[in-house]
């Protein structure tokens, strides 16, 4: 049985991602016949079909689903092979593709990236914003080099997770909201403006309320911590937010510690086989430096 080529595997993954041959062709900057030919050659070499059509989309059948992860690993390994060769160059240029939540991007990364770019001006940096669950598949497929994630992340043989810091959760209330630690029952008496469901930060918030026997019913749920801060400042309710986002509380608000205390953990997630080139090493070193410089609590 002939081995699939990287081009065939990349084409197969593009069709699965895009849902059609024509959309994959646009994604790969190829003609539609060229994509169809790559798929035919891949299926002919493997001796079976990989894709079915359902509801107007091309979807992997059982054999195709089994090929997805090996194909992603192969593409990722090829990218790492190129990086390993580049490691022997002068190290003046490179590429770093980061995934992170908006809070870390706004309140943690700017000084890190400033120092990294000063040390390596030729490093091209891109940052993708999203929840942990959205970013990890992109890391596994090789589309990202590192993800700053709210822990825990699902255990996997392909990924390595290093805990970076503990980020306390704090209550943010309008300025009339008193002072001192606040319990879940007292906070629950306010209209709650919480982060949207689906992320680990919201999960940690819900768990804190549940331990007090309270099921939070938010008046509003948003996907932006900065928007939540603004709404609390307008007197529309109270929130539970990471301390990292509250170093400078917005006007008209007050922060109060939770009783009992609660926190989320942030960590770095990489592929285990990822080559740590100069750009990535610089970033990790400066990130650790910034975390050490953060005020306690």
């Amino acid at each position: 049985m002939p081995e699939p080529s990287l081009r065939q595997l990349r084409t197969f993954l593009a069709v699965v991602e895009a849902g059609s041959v024509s959309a994959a062709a646009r994604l790969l900057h190829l003609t539609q016949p060229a994509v169809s030919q790559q798929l035919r050659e891949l299926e002919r070499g493997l001796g079976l079909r990989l894709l079915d059509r359902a509801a107007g989309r091309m979807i992997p059948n059982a054999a195709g689903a089994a090929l997805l992860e090996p194909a992603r690993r192969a593409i990722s390994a090829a990218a790492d092979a190129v990086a390993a060769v580049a490691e022997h160059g002068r190290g003046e240029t490179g590429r770093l593709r980061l995934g992170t939540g908006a809070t870390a991007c706004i309140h943690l990364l700017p000084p890190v990236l400033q120092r990294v770019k000063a040390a390596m001006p030729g490093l091209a940096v891109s940052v993708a914003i999203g929840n942990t669950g959205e970013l990890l598949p992109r890391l596994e497929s090789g589309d990202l080099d590192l993800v700053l994630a709210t822990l825990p992340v699902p255990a996997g043989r392909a990924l390595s997770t290093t805990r970076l810091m503990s980020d306390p959760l704090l209550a943010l209330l309008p300025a009339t909201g008193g002072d001192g630690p606040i319990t879940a029952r007292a906070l629950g008496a306010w209209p709650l403006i919480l982060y949207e469901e689906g992320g680990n930060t919201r999960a940690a918030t819900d768990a804190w309320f549940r331990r007090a026997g309270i099921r939070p019913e938010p008046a509003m749920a948003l996907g932006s911590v900065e928007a939540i801060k603004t709404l609390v400042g307008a007197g529309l309710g109270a929130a539970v937010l990471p301390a990292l986002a509250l170093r400078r509380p917005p006007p008209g608000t007050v922060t109060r510690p939770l009783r009992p205390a609660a926190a989320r953990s942030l960590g770095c997630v990489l592929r285990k086989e990822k080559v740590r080139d100069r750009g990535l090493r610089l970033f990790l070193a400066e990130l650790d430096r910034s975390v050490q410089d953060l005020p306690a609590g």
Side-chain angles (χ1 to χ4, degrees):
M1 178 184 298
E3 295 181 351
S5 69
L6 288 174
R7 176 175 295 180
Q8 292 169 349
L9 294 177
R10 189 174 288 110
T11 299
F12 166 71
L13 291 175
V15 172
V16 171
E17 177 183 344
S20 72
V21 171
S22 58
R26 291 192 296 270
L27 188 67
L28 296 171
H29 304 291
L30 297 173
T31 65
Q32 185 171 333
V35 171
S36 297
Q37 181 181 354
Q38 290 292 329
L39 282 178
R40 285 195 300 270
E41 292 178 355
L42 176 62
E43 292 180 331
R44 187 182 303 118
L46 295 175
L48 69 169
R49 291 183 59 82
L50 300 171
L51 298 166
D52 292 332
R53 182 173 292 278
R57 288 181 59 85
M58 299 292 287
I59 62 172
N61 58 21
L67 181 61
L68 285 174
E69 286 308 312
R72 287 169 177 156
R73 290 197 299 269
I75 299 300
S76 176
D80 283 347
V82 173
V85 173
E87 179 82 352
H88 294 277
R90 298 179 62 184
E92 294 180 352
T93 63
R95 179 183 68 176
L96 183 60
R97 301 163 299 172
L98 307 174
T100 183
T103 298
C105 183
I106 295 170
H107 300 284
L108 181 61
L109 286 188
V112 176
L113 296 179
Q114 183 182 40
R115 293 194 297 266
V116 169
K117 288 289 288 182
M120 191 175 175
L123 181 67
V125 180
S126 62
V127 181
I129 305 297
N131 288 328
T132 298
E134 301 167 345
L135 297 172
L136 290 182
R138 296 183 62 183
L139 178 66
E140 292 179 304
S141 70
D143 188 41
L144 296 173
D145 300 312
L146 177 146
V147 168
L148 290 179
T150 302
L151 306 180
V153 300
R157 290 179 299 175
L159 300 180
S160 173
T161 301
T162 302
R163 185 178 178 276
L164 184 63
M165 61 178 287
S166 177
D167 188 13
L169 296 178
L170 301 175
L172 181 71
L173 296 92
T176 56
D179 55 17
I182 188 169
T183 65
R185 188 165 301 279
L187 187 59
W190 287 80
L192 294 176
I193 307 172
L194 300 182
Y195 195 77
E196 65 184 1
E197 293 183 336
N200 287 349
T201 299
R202 173 63 185 272
T205 300
D206 289 348
W208 179 74
F209 277 107
R210 283 198 304 271
R211 285 193 291 271
I214 296 172
R215 180 178 179 179
E217 296 290 346
M220 287 181 274
L222 294 85
S224 166
V225 168
E226 300 307 305
I228 292 173
K229 290 161 60 175
T230 299
L231 292 174
V232 173
L236 297 177
V240 176
L241 295 174
L244 186 63
L246 296 173
R247 300 293 178 190
R248 297 180 181 85
T253 67
V254 61
T255 61
R256 297 177 62 181
L258 303 181
R259 179 184 290 166
R264 66 173 189 165
S265 293
L266 298 182
C268 294
V269 189
L270 296 94
R271 297 189 306 280
K272 290 181 179 178
E273 302 302 321
K274 175 65 183 173
V275 174
R276 299 196 180 198
D277 57 19
R278 182 180 176 227
L280 182 55
R281 294 196 306 271
L282 276 172
F283 175 80
L284 291 172
E286 293 298 343
L287 179 64
D288 183 67
R289 174 182 166 186
S290 281
V291 168
Q292 299 302 321
D293 290 343
L294 287 174

